[in-house]
Amino acid sequence: MSTPVSSEVSLEEKLQQLEEQLKAGTPNAEEFRLVHNELKKLNRRLQELLQWAEEQHRDEKEFESLHRQVAGWNASDLMESLKKTGFASKQDRDLKDAFDRQGYRILELVRAGKRDEVFHAILRTFVSAKKEFPVHLVEAFKPVYSDELFKVFLFSFLSGILGEEREQE
């Protein structure tokens, strides 16, 4: 049985091309960035598939272990993404005002590790401002992440929206 020939270049082949560029002394930073972005996208997709496998086969601890490992790899990207989401949310005056009124309460709930109450407070804030709840913010509330990582994720988001605005020189 033969497999269909793909017109796409595999990740391994792309890495080989990057290696050849380095050997030739002509590395292209843009190509490295593109491969990096593709690797991140594949890593996130693997995390989603592992979560699905874990949900289907709860009795197999290997899926849970792998899911936690991959989620840990992706945690840094999620943290940065949440901070950017906070900064972007700050641009909306209604949302910024709502978080300014509820921010310290939400911070205290995060510190106490009360995921359900934090989720409810943030969701209520987005709904009251008639704004869509950021999809990747939901990721921070998943139980695959430890309480400490949950706090880091939420503090990253909140630092973006509640942080001091600094004038650029």
Side-chain angles (χ1 to χ4, degrees):
M1 181 174 161
S2 65
T3 59
V5 177
S6 173
S7 62
E8 293 183 26
V9 178
S10 75
L11 188 57
E12 181 61 38
E13 290 170 321
K14 288 180 182 180
L15 290 173
Q16 194 67 37
Q17 290 170 357
L18 294 177
E19 186 176 341
E20 293 301 321
Q21 288 178 10
L22 287 168
K23 287 179 183 176
T26 57
N28 181 326
E30 178 63 16
E31 289 183 32
F32 273 84
R33 189 186 61 73
L34 290 172
V35 171
H36 177 255
N37 288 341
E38 185 175 337
L39 185 58
K40 284 183 358 182
K41 187 168 43 171
L42 288 171
N43 219 351
R44 284 190 302 271
R45 179 76 177 125
L46 176 60
Q47 183 177 341
E48 291 168 2
L49 293 172
L50 281 168
Q51 180 179 349
W52 189 8
E54 181 184 4
E55 289 168 358
Q56 284 184 342
H57 303 280
R58 295 196 185 279
D59 55 329
E60 294 182 40
K61 294 299 178 192
E62 187 64 23
F63 286 123
E64 180 183 354
S65 175
L66 284 170
H67 184 209
R68 287 186 184 280
Q69 281 183 316
V70 174
W73 295 340
N74 294 335
S76 180
D77 286 338
L78 179 58
M79 189 174 18
E80 192 61 35
S81 175
L82 290 171
K83 188 171 186 176
K84 287 178 184 175
T85 299
F87 282 127
S89 298
K90 183 188 286 194
Q91 304 308 313
D92 183 291
R93 182 61 27 209
D94 291 338
L95 204 51
K96 171 71 172 131
D97 290 345
F99 271 98
D100 283 345
R101 286 189 301 274
Q102 292 294 316
Y104 290 106
R105 180 178 167 272
I106 295 172
L107 282 169
E108 188 56 31
L109 290 171
V110 171
R111 189 197 62 74
K114 297 183 177 185
R115 290 184 193 220
D116 291 345
E117 292 179 45
V118 173
F119 185 83
H120 180 257
I122 293 175
L123 179 62
R124 187 179 61 231
T125 303
F126 274 91
V127 169
S128 70
K130 296 182 174 81
K131 300 298 175 192
E132 187 174 331
F133 194 86
V135 175
H136 59 278
L137 186 54
V138 173
E139 181 69 27
F141 290 90
K142 291 185 177 176
V144 69
Y145 299 109
S146 69
D147 287 342
E148 291 77 22
L149 206 46
F150 162 75
K151 291 175 185 180
V152 170
F153 289 153
L154 270 292
F155 288 146
S156 295
F157 169 73
L158 292 168
S159 72
I161 198 164
L162 296 174
E164 291 284 323
E165 293 185 39
R166 298 181 186 181
E167 290 185 33
Q168 293 181 351
E169 296 178 16

